[in-house]
Amino acid sequence: MARMWPVDGVIGENGGFFFRRQPQGHGLERHFWHSLADQESTRDRLKEIADIVRTKFGTARLAEDQPFRLTSLAFAQPDTPTDVAAIVAALREAEANVTVNNLWILAWLGNHDKLAMSRRILSAHYNLDIDRDPQQVLYAGDSTNDAPMFVFFRHSVGVSTVVRYLAEIPKPPNWITEGPGGAGFVEIADAVIAARSGS
């Protein structure tokens, strides 16, 4: 996404990293939440936690893209809420941070989430202090791992599928689109463009 999409940068894995294209060419700048010295031990501990969960729950299945994840674990959601709750409990028992989105049970180590990394990156790379000027940001999300952003930003939007998680989100987004996923994002983009043009 950071290399090919027309975006300034990408925060991934619940704030575990920030990637953006270098000014020239297709190379990437890579910035991680954890220091270089801590990255290897963090990855090793995540692997241990994954092994513990899979041993404890024979049905626990890592996401197909897990080999490409750099700072987190992702388990496919089981079919029953009871199994989801059991995996979440096992991850928390292993002292991992846990959230659930519309596809995965996500776990990571460290004091970061989307909001913490956004605060760091927007200050360091875009000269924006969101604590002083949060109105400059519009945030869109779709599930429980977006909760810190919905709480913090006034301009927050949930695409329509967020409604299934509203009971688990401390503060709902201020607007909810009619469409899901990409269709919902198009609604958001159209609204911003219309507001800018005064139409």
Short mmCIF file of all heavy atoms in Angstrom, two decimals, residues 28-70:
data_model
loop_
_atom_site.label_atom_id
_atom_site.label_comp_id
_atom_site.label_asym_id
_atom_site.label_seq_id
_atom_site.Cartn_x
_atom_site.Cartn_y
_atom_site.Cartn_z
N LEU A 28 11.26 2.39 0.36
CA LEU A 28 10.39 2.70 1.49
C LEU A 28 11.20 3.17 2.69
O LEU A 28 12.26 2.62 2.99
CB LEU A 28 9.58 1.47 1.91
CG LEU A 28 8.44 1.02 1.02
CD1 LEU A 28 7.77 -0.19 1.63
CD2 LEU A 28 7.43 2.13 0.80
N GLU A 29 10.68 4.16 3.37
CA GLU A 29 11.13 4.48 4.72
C GLU A 29 10.33 3.60 5.67
O GLU A 29 9.10 3.53 5.57
CB GLU A 29 10.86 5.94 5.06
CG GLU A 29 11.63 6.95 4.26
CD GLU A 29 11.26 8.37 4.67
OE1 GLU A 29 10.63 8.55 5.74
OE2 GLU A 29 11.59 9.28 3.90
N ARG A 30 11.01 2.95 6.60
CA ARG A 30 10.33 2.07 7.56
C ARG A 30 10.60 2.56 8.98
O ARG A 30 11.75 2.68 9.39
CB ARG A 30 10.83 0.63 7.40
CG ARG A 30 10.46 -0.02 6.08
CD ARG A 30 11.11 -1.40 5.96
NE ARG A 30 10.61 -2.14 4.82
CZ ARG A 30 11.10 -2.06 3.58
NH1 ARG A 30 12.12 -1.25 3.34
NH2 ARG A 30 10.59 -2.78 2.60
N HIS A 31 9.53 2.84 9.69
CA HIS A 31 9.63 3.30 11.07
C HIS A 31 8.78 2.37 11.93
O HIS A 31 7.59 2.19 11.66
CB HIS A 31 9.12 4.74 11.19
CG HIS A 31 9.80 5.71 10.28
ND1 HIS A 31 10.97 6.36 10.62
CD2 HIS A 31 9.49 6.11 9.01
CE1 HIS A 31 11.33 7.14 9.62
NE2 HIS A 31 10.46 7.00 8.63
N PHE A 32 9.39 1.79 12.96
CA PHE A 32 8.70 0.85 13.84
C PHE A 32 8.48 1.47 15.21
O PHE A 32 9.26 2.31 15.67
CB PHE A 32 9.51 -0.44 13.97
CG PHE A 32 9.55 -1.26 12.71
CD1 PHE A 32 10.51 -1.03 11.75
CD2 PHE A 32 8.60 -2.24 12.48
CE1 PHE A 32 10.54 -1.77 10.57
CE2 PHE A 32 8.62 -2.99 11.31
CZ PHE A 32 9.59 -2.75 10.36
N TRP A 33 7.41 1.01 15.88
CA TRP A 33 7.17 1.49 17.23
C TRP A 33 8.30 1.05 18.15
O TRP A 33 8.82 1.84 18.93
CB TRP A 33 5.84 0.94 17.75
CG TRP A 33 5.56 1.41 19.15
CD1 TRP A 33 5.88 0.78 20.33
CD2 TRP A 33 4.94 2.64 19.52
NE1 TRP A 33 5.48 1.53 21.40
CE2 TRP A 33 4.90 2.68 20.93
CE3 TRP A 33 4.39 3.71 18.79
CZ2 TRP A 33 4.35 3.76 21.63
CZ3 TRP A 33 3.85 4.78 19.48
CH2 TRP A 33 3.83 4.79 20.89
N HIS A 34 8.68 -0.21 18.06
CA HIS A 34 9.75 -0.72 18.92
C HIS A 34 11.11 -0.31 18.38
O HIS A 34 11.30 -0.20 17.16
CB HIS A 34 9.69 -2.25 18.99
CG HIS A 34 8.50 -2.78 19.73
ND1 HIS A 34 8.36 -2.69 21.08
CD2 HIS A 34 7.38 -3.41 19.28
CE1 HIS A 34 7.21 -3.23 21.46
NE2 HIS A 34 6.60 -3.67 20.38
N SER A 35 12.04 -0.10 19.28
CA SER A 35 13.41 0.20 18.87
C SER A 35 14.00 -1.00 18.15
O SER A 35 13.52 -2.14 18.29
CB SER A 35 14.27 0.54 20.09
OG SER A 35 14.45 -0.63 20.89
N LEU A 36 15.03 -0.77 17.39
CA LEU A 36 15.70 -1.85 16.66
C LEU A 36 16.14 -2.94 17.62
O LEU A 36 16.04 -4.13 17.32
CB LEU A 36 16.89 -1.29 15.88
CG LEU A 36 17.63 -2.26 14.97
CD1 LEU A 36 16.71 -2.79 13.88
CD2 LEU A 36 18.85 -1.58 14.34
N ALA A 37 16.63 -2.55 18.79
CA ALA A 37 17.11 -3.53 19.76
C ALA A 37 16.00 -4.44 20.27
O ALA A 37 16.25 -5.60 20.64
CB ALA A 37 17.76 -2.81 20.94
N ASP A 38 14.75 -3.96 20.28
CA ASP A 38 13.64 -4.74 20.83
C ASP A 38 12.85 -5.52 19.78
O ASP A 38 12.03 -6.37 20.14
CB ASP A 38 12.66 -3.81 21.56
CG ASP A 38 13.26 -3.24 22.84
OD1 ASP A 38 14.20 -3.87 23.38
OD2 ASP A 38 12.80 -2.18 23.28
N GLN A 39 13.09 -5.24 18.51
CA GLN A 39 12.24 -5.84 17.48
C GLN A 39 12.39 -7.36 17.41
O GLN A 39 11.39 -8.09 17.30
CB GLN A 39 12.54 -5.22 16.13
CG GLN A 39 12.02 -3.80 16.00
CD GLN A 39 12.49 -3.13 14.72
OE1 GLN A 39 12.72 -3.79 13.71
NE2 GLN A 39 12.63 -1.81 14.76
N GLU A 40 13.60 -7.88 17.49
CA GLU A 40 13.79 -9.33 17.37
C GLU A 40 13.16 -10.06 18.55
O GLU A 40 12.47 -11.07 18.36
CB GLU A 40 15.27 -9.67 17.26
CG GLU A 40 15.51 -11.15 17.03
CD GLU A 40 16.98 -11.49 16.77
OE1 GLU A 40 17.81 -10.56 16.71
OE2 GLU A 40 17.28 -12.69 16.64
N SER A 41 13.38 -9.56 19.78
CA SER A 41 12.81 -10.24 20.95
C SER A 41 11.28 -10.17 20.93
O SER A 41 10.60 -11.11 21.36
CB SER A 41 13.35 -9.62 22.24
OG SER A 41 13.00 -8.25 22.34
N THR A 42 10.73 -9.09 20.40
CA THR A 42 9.28 -8.97 20.29
C THR A 42 8.73 -10.00 19.31
O THR A 42 7.73 -10.68 19.59
CB THR A 42 8.89 -7.55 19.85
OG1 THR A 42 9.36 -6.60 20.81
CG2 THR A 42 7.38 -7.42 19.71
N ARG A 43 9.39 -10.15 18.16
CA ARG A 43 8.94 -11.15 17.18
C ARG A 43 9.04 -12.56 17.76
O ARG A 43 8.15 -13.39 17.55
CB ARG A 43 9.77 -11.04 15.90
CG ARG A 43 9.37 -9.89 15.00
CD ARG A 43 9.98 -10.02 13.63
NE ARG A 43 11.44 -9.91 13.67
CZ ARG A 43 12.10 -8.76 13.52
NH1 ARG A 43 11.45 -7.64 13.30
NH2 ARG A 43 13.42 -8.74 13.56
N ASP A 44 10.12 -12.84 18.50
CA ASP A 44 10.28 -14.17 19.10
C ASP A 44 9.18 -14.46 20.11
O ASP A 44 8.63 -15.57 20.15
CB ASP A 44 11.65 -14.28 19.79
CG ASP A 44 12.80 -14.34 18.80
OD1 ASP A 44 12.57 -14.58 17.60
OD2 ASP A 44 13.96 -14.12 19.23
N ARG A 45 8.84 -13.46 20.91
CA ARG A 45 7.78 -13.66 21.91
C ARG A 45 6.43 -13.85 21.24
O ARG A 45 5.62 -14.68 21.67
CB ARG A 45 7.75 -12.47 22.88
CG ARG A 45 6.64 -12.56 23.93
CD ARG A 45 6.74 -13.83 24.75
NE ARG A 45 5.62 -13.93 25.71
CZ ARG A 45 5.15 -15.06 26.17
NH1 ARG A 45 5.68 -16.22 25.79
NH2 ARG A 45 4.15 -15.06 27.04
N LEU A 46 6.16 -13.13 20.18
CA LEU A 46 4.90 -13.32 19.46
C LEU A 46 4.80 -14.73 18.90
O LEU A 46 3.73 -15.35 18.93
CB LEU A 46 4.77 -12.29 18.34
CG LEU A 46 4.42 -10.87 18.77
CD1 LEU A 46 4.55 -9.91 17.59
CD2 LEU A 46 3.01 -10.79 19.36
N LYS A 47 5.91 -15.26 18.40
CA LYS A 47 5.90 -16.62 17.88
C LYS A 47 5.60 -17.61 19.01
O LYS A 47 4.84 -18.57 18.84
CB LYS A 47 7.23 -16.97 17.23
CG LYS A 47 7.25 -18.34 16.57
CD LYS A 47 8.58 -18.62 15.90
CE LYS A 47 8.55 -19.98 15.21
NZ LYS A 47 8.19 -21.09 16.09
N GLU A 48 6.19 -17.39 20.19
CA GLU A 48 5.91 -18.25 21.33
C GLU A 48 4.43 -18.21 21.69
O GLU A 48 3.81 -19.25 21.97
CB GLU A 48 6.75 -17.81 22.54
CG GLU A 48 8.24 -18.06 22.41
CD GLU A 48 9.02 -17.45 23.57
OE1 GLU A 48 8.38 -16.86 24.48
OE2 GLU A 48 10.25 -17.53 23.56
N ILE A 49 3.86 -17.02 21.70
CA ILE A 49 2.45 -16.87 22.05
C ILE A 49 1.57 -17.59 21.02
O ILE A 49 0.60 -18.27 21.38
CB ILE A 49 2.08 -15.38 22.15
CG1 ILE A 49 2.79 -14.74 23.35
CG2 ILE A 49 0.56 -15.20 22.25
CD1 ILE A 49 2.66 -13.23 23.42
N ALA A 50 1.92 -17.46 19.75
CA ALA A 50 1.15 -18.15 18.70
C ALA A 50 1.18 -19.65 18.93
O ALA A 50 0.14 -20.34 18.80
CB ALA A 50 1.70 -17.80 17.33
N ASP A 51 2.34 -20.18 19.27
CA ASP A 51 2.46 -21.62 19.50
C ASP A 51 1.63 -22.06 20.71
O ASP A 51 1.00 -23.12 20.69
CB ASP A 51 3.93 -22.01 19.70
CG ASP A 51 4.75 -21.87 18.43
OD1 ASP A 51 4.15 -21.83 17.33
OD2 ASP A 51 5.99 -21.79 18.53
N ILE A 52 1.63 -21.24 21.76
CA ILE A 52 0.84 -21.56 22.95
C ILE A 52 -0.64 -21.63 22.60
O ILE A 52 -1.34 -22.58 22.98
CB ILE A 52 1.08 -20.49 24.05
CG1 ILE A 52 2.50 -20.62 24.62
CG2 ILE A 52 0.04 -20.61 25.16
CD1 ILE A 52 2.92 -19.45 25.49
N VAL A 53 -1.13 -20.64 21.87
CA VAL A 53 -2.55 -20.59 21.54
C VAL A 53 -2.94 -21.75 20.64
O VAL A 53 -3.97 -22.41 20.84
CB VAL A 53 -2.91 -19.24 20.89
CG1 VAL A 53 -4.33 -19.25 20.34
CG2 VAL A 53 -2.72 -18.10 21.88
N ARG A 54 -2.11 -22.05 19.64
CA ARG A 54 -2.45 -23.14 18.72
C ARG A 54 -2.39 -24.50 19.41
O ARG A 54 -3.13 -25.42 19.07
CB ARG A 54 -1.53 -23.11 17.51
CG ARG A 54 -1.86 -21.94 16.58
CD ARG A 54 -1.13 -22.03 15.27
NE ARG A 54 0.30 -21.88 15.46
CZ ARG A 54 1.19 -22.01 14.48
NH1 ARG A 54 0.79 -22.33 13.26
NH2 ARG A 54 2.48 -21.83 14.72
N THR A 55 -1.51 -24.64 20.40
CA THR A 55 -1.45 -25.89 21.17
C THR A 55 -2.68 -26.03 22.05
O THR A 55 -3.26 -27.12 22.18
CB THR A 55 -0.17 -25.92 22.03
OG1 THR A 55 0.97 -25.86 21.18
CG2 THR A 55 -0.12 -27.18 22.87
N LYS A 56 -3.10 -24.92 22.63
CA LYS A 56 -4.24 -24.94 23.55
C LYS A 56 -5.57 -25.13 22.81
O LYS A 56 -6.49 -25.77 23.31
CB LYS A 56 -4.26 -23.63 24.34
CG LYS A 56 -5.19 -23.65 25.54
CD LYS A 56 -4.94 -22.42 26.41
CE LYS A 56 -5.78 -22.47 27.66
NZ LYS A 56 -5.51 -21.32 28.57
N PHE A 57 -5.65 -24.56 21.62
CA PHE A 57 -6.88 -24.63 20.83
C PHE A 57 -6.55 -25.19 19.45
O PHE A 57 -6.00 -24.48 18.60
CB PHE A 57 -7.53 -23.25 20.69
CG PHE A 57 -7.80 -22.57 21.99
CD1 PHE A 57 -6.95 -21.59 22.47
CD2 PHE A 57 -8.89 -22.94 22.76
CE1 PHE A 57 -7.20 -20.97 23.67
CE2 PHE A 57 -9.15 -22.32 23.98
CZ PHE A 57 -8.30 -21.34 24.44
N GLY A 58 -6.87 -26.43 19.25
CA GLY A 58 -6.54 -27.08 17.98
C GLY A 58 -7.19 -26.44 16.78
O GLY A 58 -6.71 -26.56 15.65
N THR A 59 -8.28 -25.70 17.01
CA THR A 59 -8.97 -25.04 15.89
C THR A 59 -8.43 -23.64 15.61
O THR A 59 -8.85 -23.02 14.64
CB THR A 59 -10.48 -24.93 16.19
OG1 THR A 59 -10.67 -24.20 17.42
CG2 THR A 59 -11.12 -26.31 16.33
N ALA A 60 -7.53 -23.14 16.44
CA ALA A 60 -6.99 -21.80 16.22
C ALA A 60 -6.14 -21.80 14.96
O ALA A 60 -5.21 -22.58 14.82
CB ALA A 60 -6.16 -21.36 17.42
N ARG A 61 -6.47 -20.89 14.05
CA ARG A 61 -5.80 -20.84 12.75
C ARG A 61 -5.26 -19.44 12.50
O ARG A 61 -6.01 -18.46 12.53
CB ARG A 61 -6.79 -21.23 11.65
CG ARG A 61 -6.21 -21.28 10.26
CD ARG A 61 -7.22 -21.86 9.27
NE ARG A 61 -8.49 -21.16 9.27
CZ ARG A 61 -8.75 -20.07 8.54
NH1 ARG A 61 -7.81 -19.56 7.76
NH2 ARG A 61 -9.95 -19.50 8.59
N LEU A 62 -3.95 -19.36 12.26
CA LEU A 62 -3.35 -18.06 11.95
C LEU A 62 -3.84 -17.57 10.60
O LEU A 62 -4.17 -18.35 9.70
CB LEU A 62 -1.83 -18.17 11.95
CG LEU A 62 -1.17 -18.32 13.31
CD1 LEU A 62 0.29 -18.72 13.16
CD2 LEU A 62 -1.28 -17.02 14.12
N ALA A 63 -3.88 -16.25 10.44
CA ALA A 63 -4.26 -15.66 9.17
C ALA A 63 -3.30 -16.10 8.08
O ALA A 63 -2.11 -16.36 8.33
CB ALA A 63 -4.24 -14.13 9.28
N GLU A 64 -3.81 -16.18 6.85
CA GLU A 64 -2.97 -16.63 5.74
C GLU A 64 -1.80 -15.69 5.51
O GLU A 64 -0.74 -16.11 5.01
CB GLU A 64 -3.82 -16.75 4.47
CG GLU A 64 -4.82 -17.90 4.52
CD GLU A 64 -5.61 -18.03 3.24
OE1 GLU A 64 -5.36 -17.27 2.29
OE2 GLU A 64 -6.50 -18.91 3.19
N ASP A 65 -1.97 -14.43 5.86
CA ASP A 65 -0.87 -13.48 5.64
C ASP A 65 0.04 -13.32 6.87
O ASP A 65 0.89 -12.43 6.90
CB ASP A 65 -1.40 -12.12 5.21
CG ASP A 65 -2.20 -11.41 6.31
OD1 ASP A 65 -2.50 -12.04 7.34
OD2 ASP A 65 -2.53 -10.22 6.11
N GLN A 66 -0.12 -14.20 7.86
CA GLN A 66 0.71 -14.08 9.06
C GLN A 66 2.22 -14.08 8.76
O GLN A 66 2.96 -13.33 9.38
CB GLN A 66 0.37 -15.19 10.06
CG GLN A 66 1.16 -15.10 11.36
CD GLN A 66 0.92 -13.80 12.12
OE1 GLN A 66 -0.22 -13.40 12.31
NE2 GLN A 66 1.99 -13.14 12.55
N PRO A 67 2.69 -14.91 7.81
CA PRO A 67 4.14 -14.87 7.53
C PRO A 67 4.67 -13.50 7.10
O PRO A 67 5.87 -13.24 7.18
CB PRO A 67 4.31 -15.89 6.40
CG PRO A 67 3.16 -16.83 6.56
CD PRO A 67 2.03 -15.96 7.04
N PHE A 68 3.77 -12.62 6.66
CA PHE A 68 4.19 -11.30 6.19
C PHE A 68 3.96 -10.21 7.23
O PHE A 68 4.34 -9.06 7.00
CB PHE A 68 3.44 -10.95 4.90
CG PHE A 68 3.56 -12.01 3.85
CD1 PHE A 68 2.51 -12.88 3.60
CD2 PHE A 68 4.74 -12.17 3.13
CE1 PHE A 68 2.62 -13.88 2.65
CE2 PHE A 68 4.86 -13.17 2.19
CZ PHE A 68 3.80 -14.02 1.94
N ARG A 69 3.34 -10.57 8.35
CA ARG A 69 3.14 -9.58 9.41
C ARG A 69 4.45 -9.37 10.17
O ARG A 69 5.19 -10.33 10.43
CB ARG A 69 2.01 -10.03 10.34
CG ARG A 69 0.66 -9.98 9.66
CD ARG A 69 -0.46 -10.47 10.55
NE ARG A 69 -1.72 -10.46 9.82
CZ ARG A 69 -2.63 -9.49 9.89
NH1 ARG A 69 -2.44 -8.46 10.68
NH2 ARG A 69 -3.73 -9.56 9.16
N LEU A 70 4.69 -8.15 10.55
CA LEU A 70 5.99 -7.80 11.13
C LEU A 70 5.94 -7.55 12.63
O LEU A 70 6.95 -7.70 13.31
CB LEU A 70 6.54 -6.55 10.44
CG LEU A 70 6.76 -6.68 8.93
CD1 LEU A 70 7.16 -5.33 8.35
CD2 LEU A 70 7.83 -7.72 8.64
#
